[in-house]
Amino acid sequence: YSFQAERKGKQRQTAALEVINQAPIRIQRIIRFRYEKKLTWEEVADRMKGSTSGGLKMELKRFFEEK
């Protein structure tokens, strides 16, 4: 493991956080529930009231396809 690899990893993390922070609040919530809190898609859908797990997956997929 090298210093350069670690630096590159931190640069990617910073770039990812910039994209997430510029995302609409709804997308930010989906990402935080799913990846930071490690909830299942069904649990995310429960927290997002009125959404289905499949609908949320598709919404997130479309968001990242645009980026």
Side-chain angles (χ1 to χ4, degrees), residues 10-30:
K10 287 185 182 201
Q11 288 172 340
R12 286 186 187 135
Q13 182 181 17
T14 300
L17 288 173
E18 286 176 13
V19 170
I20 292 167
N21 289 335
Q22 292 174 7
I25 297 298
R26 180 174 170 83
I27 295 294
Q28 290 181 31
R29 288 183 69 213
I30 295 169

Side-chain angles (χ1 to χ4, degrees), residues 1-10:
Y1 192 73
S2 71
F3 175 74
Q4 287 179 338
E6 183 178 330
R7 195 169 114 206
K8 215 171 238 195
K10 287 185 182 201

Side-chain angles (χ1 to χ4, degrees), residues 18-60:
E18 286 176 13
V19 170
I20 292 167
N21 289 335
Q22 292 174 7
I25 297 298
R26 180 174 170 83
I27 295 294
Q28 290 181 31
R29 288 183 69 213
I30 295 169
I31 291 169
R32 288 199 174 96
F33 287 149
R34 179 68 177 130
Y35 299 104
E36 288 180 16
K37 295 185 183 248
K38 309 247 190 273
L39 301 179
T40 66
W41 282 110
E42 290 74 23
E43 290 169 327
V44 175
D46 286 344
R47 299 245 179 130
M48 299 288 291
K49 304 291 183 214
S51 300
T52 64
S53 59
L56 293 173
K57 285 182 202 178
M58 184 59 65
E59 190 174 344
L60 192 59

